[in-house]
Each structure stands twice: as structure tokens, then as C-alpha cells.
Amino acid sequence: MTDLDTAPATRVRVPHDALLDFTTAVFTAHHVPPTRARAAAEALCHGDITGTDSHGLANLTRIYLPLLESGRSPADAEPKVLADRGATVLLDAAGALGLWQAGEAMDLAARRAADYGVGLVSVRGATHFGCAGHHALRAVAHGMIGVVAANCGHQRIARPPRGRAPMLGTNPLSVAAPAGGHPPFVLDMSTTAVPTGKVRAAARAGEPVPAGWLADDRGEPVTDPARFDSGEAHLTWLGAPGGGEYKGFGLGLMVEVLAALVPGAGLGPPAAGPAADDDIGFLVLAVAPAAVREPAGFHRDADALFGAVLDCPPVELGEPVTYPGWPEARRAADAAARGVPLTLALYGELGEVADRLGLALPGEC
């Protein structure tokens, strides 16, 4: 029994590989080239496989298919290199599907890091790319540290502390690193208290959200998630309440600088035009420890660092201390062995997509 089985009556399990094949087929049915479609499927399903449902297949019909069907993300868009300085590259994504493009950017960054010790790829004209951690992990596959940060284009859903107007998006960032013989370290976070996906998931489920996620115009806590999309509530920053909201807001501005100001992508502030998540900017960075120290020593020290965290005595017996990336790796292993858990509602949505496109929906495990 795992923590994914807490509500067995509301979930089904679908074979891991069959779910990836189905999602790939959905993208190819929308004219995404096969290699891109597979990469996009892996990036999207990563959320469901690791238990980050808010960034998984729930967004297939809410974000990605509308992007493709509207033409805002051309299925065969060809990103262009605008500047190449060896260790640093600037790309215009040309609206390409972010689920694929972000991984390509990290692979390029890793190739440059192999030559220069670091590789930085700055991207503008991008679209939503799902879980930042999935793309940061691609650097770990090369024995490197990966950093990913993205703004939300012109989307404005969070207000500066003491401000009356929303100016920034959730502006996520991620860092992934090898952890020796342990599962990789993967920090994947929004700079707001939570991402919008968690709020909307609660709204779909008809469940309240904890105080501190949302606030009204007076700064009072809001627990009804439906009030977010109705415009009656806005996201709070990481660190709020309690006076620490300047930390989350500062991190959000940091991401805006690195991910949008540097490549020349769409900015949240100054407020002008529709608050849409078009012209997203992101930064991917690969750092190669082997360029500055002996790889075996790095591996040994990483193993000791994260092993020490896991060995920390817990406050409560049966609730071990872990680190970001460890629980997700455990869920991924469980999903590979026993199937990916999907809510009945999401499984029904995928069935509708399958019927519309003439595809076979994967059966339950």
C-alpha cells in the first residue's frame, strides 16, 4: 500500500508504457513529429508518474491541445538560433511545443557544458513546458546539475506585496543534481505559494484549499478555489502569510529577470495587452562538476550529502526524513511497476480524447 492508494475508489491504474504510447499518439494525431511527440508525452506524463498531478495529463485538454489546435503552437515550429557564444546560446522557440522544446534546450546546454564546464541556453517565444523538474533531470542523465527557470509570458496572476494589481505569473524554477547512489535531488517549485494547477484541481474536485494559498483584494485568506478563476482571489507568494512574502516575490522577480528579461521574452510587468501566457521565456543551465573536480570525488560527496539527510533521525517514527526528488522517485518506481494512477475523472477525459481521435484508450492494470 502506498500514499497513492489513499483513495482507491476514485483512481484507476494504467500501464506506464501504454500511457506514454497513447499520449504520444494524441500528439502525433495533432501533426506533432513523432520524435517530438514522444518527448512531449514523456514530459507531460512525468507529472502523473511522479505524483505531481497538477502538471500532468490534466493539462492535456486544458493547455496543450488548445495550443496546437489554435495554431498558437505550430506542431512543426522550427526554433531559431539568434546568438551563439559557445557556452551561451539564445533561441527563439517560434512557439514550438514547450514540452519538447525545453528538453531540447537542456540537451543543448549539456553538450555545451561538456565542452565549457557550463552551458546556458536562453529561450524566448516559448510555450508552457509542464514540470520544470523533468527538464532539469535531463542534465542529471549526463552527470551534471540542471537548472530551469521560466516566466509565464504576459500572464499576470500574482500581486507584489502591498500591491493592488497582478504583475507576475507563478514563475517556477527547478534544480536537479546527482545524489550519488540515491535518487537525484530535484527541487521543482513555483515562487507563489502554489501553482495555479493545484488551485484548479481543488476547484474541479469541489474541495477547499488551505488558508494561505489565495487572498482577496483586502489580503484576507480565501479557501474557495473557484474564486480564483472568477477573479475574486489571487495567488499569494511563497512565504506568506507571516511576513515572508517578499522572499517569494523576490524569487519571482529573479526568475523574470533571468528567464524573460535576458532573452527578451514577454514580461508580466509593465501591464500592457492581454494577460496571456504567450511568449514565455525560460533559462536552462547545465553545470558539469567534472570540469572542475574529479568525478569520483563528486559522486562520493553527493552520496554522503544526501545519505546524511536520509539518515537524519525523524521526529515521528515511521515518517522518515527525505529530500526533494526522493518521494517522486519512489512514486515513479511504483508507477512503472504497478501502473500510473489516474483519477476517474481524468481517465474519462482521456477516453473522450481517444474517441474523438479514433485512438484506443489504454485499459486498466
Side-chain angles (χ1 to χ4, degrees), residues 87-236:
T88 305
V89 178
L90 171 63
L91 293 178
D92 185 333
L97 195 61
L99 291 166
W100 163 77
Q101 175 61 63
E104 288 290 299
M106 181 56 83
D107 288 346
L108 174 58
R111 291 195 296 271
R112 297 305 174 91
D115 293 333
Y116 298 100
V118 294
L120 172 63
V121 178
S122 195
V123 182
R124 69 192 192 201
T127 61
H128 197 283
F129 60 40
C131 294
H134 172 78
H135 307 296
L137 270 169
R138 293 177 79 106
V140 175
H142 298 279
M144 299 178 185
I145 297 164
V147 180
V148 176
N151 88 328
C152 297
H154 296 295
Q155 190 177 52
R156 300 183 291 274
I157 55 179
R159 306 176 180 191
R162 298 180 300 281
R164 297 176 67 95
M167 288 192 170
L168 294 176
T170 57
N171 286 16
L173 63 95
S174 177
V175 179
H182 308 289
F185 167 79
V186 188
L187 174 69
D188 188 346
M189 55 174 273
S190 62
T191 53
T192 50
V194 291
T196 57
K198 286 195 173 183
V199 175
R200 288 171 174 144
R204 289 194 298 273
E207 299 172 349
V209 298
W213 285 19
L214 299 170
D216 63 18
D217 288 345
R218 299 183 305 279
E220 296 297 323
V222 172
T223 59
D224 179 0
R227 293 179 63 186
F228 174 68
D229 277 328
S230 70
E232 301 174 79
H234 59 271
L235 288 176
T236 61

Side-chain angles (χ1 to χ4, degrees), residues 31-345:
H31 311 295
V32 178
T35 301
R36 295 188 188 188
R38 186 66 179 191
E42 291 172 353
L44 183 56
C45 292
H46 175 85
D48 303 284
I49 290 167
T50 60
T52 314
D53 296 4
S54 61
H55 283 59
L57 282 161
N59 290 326
L60 179 65
T61 60
R62 293 174 176 82
I63 295 177
Y64 302 107
L65 296 190
L67 275 174
L68 292 166
E69 291 165 356
S70 68
R72 288 169 56 206
S73 180
D76 58 352
E78 287 298 335
K80 298 177 182 178
V81 175
L82 302 180
D84 190 337
R85 302 291 183 264
T88 305
V89 178
L90 171 63
L91 293 178
D92 185 333
L97 195 61
L99 291 166
W100 163 77
Q101 175 61 63
E104 288 290 299
M106 181 56 83
D107 288 346
L108 174 58
R111 291 195 296 271
R112 297 305 174 91
D115 293 333
Y116 298 100
V118 294
L120 172 63
V121 178
S122 195
V123 182
R124 69 192 192 201
T127 61
H128 197 283
F129 60 40
C131 294
H134 172 78
H135 307 296
L137 270 169
R138 293 177 79 106
V140 175
H142 298 279
M144 299 178 185
I145 297 164
V147 180
V148 176
N151 88 328
C152 297
H154 296 295
Q155 190 177 52
R156 300 183 291 274
I157 55 179
R159 306 176 180 191
R162 298 180 300 281
R164 297 176 67 95
M167 288 192 170
L168 294 176
T170 57
N171 286 16
L173 63 95
S174 177
V175 179
H182 308 289
F185 167 79
V186 188
L187 174 69
D188 188 346
M189 55 174 273
S190 62
T191 53
T192 50
V194 291
T196 57
K198 286 195 173 183
V199 175
R200 288 171 174 144
R204 289 194 298 273
E207 299 172 349
V209 298
W213 285 19
L214 299 170
D216 63 18
D217 288 345
R218 299 183 305 279
E220 296 297 323
V222 172
T223 59
D224 179 0
R227 293 179 63 186
F228 174 68
D229 277 328
S230 70
E232 301 174 79
H234 59 271
L235 288 176
T236 61
W237 292 104
L238 189 68
E245 64 270 15
Y246 70 92
K247 296 179 181 180
F249 177 61
L251 287 171
L253 275 178
M254 178 197 76
V255 170
E256 197 79 11
V257 169
L258 295 175
L261 194 60
V262 170
L267 297 170
D277 57 348
D278 288 322
D279 194 12
I280 288 173
F282 63 82
L283 167 150
V284 298
L285 171 69
V287 179
V292 294
R293 63 174 301 189
E294 196 269 324
F298 174 81
H299 179 89
R300 181 182 62 250
D301 290 348
D303 189 84
L305 168 63
F306 292 100
V309 173
L310 295 174
D311 289 340
C312 179
V315 172
E316 298 288 342
L317 293 178
E319 296 183 11
V321 176
T322 63
Y323 56 82
W326 190 94
E328 291 81 0
R330 184 174 69 116
R331 294 182 192 121
D334 180 74
R338 301 200 299 132
V340 182
L342 304 176
T343 66
L344 289 175

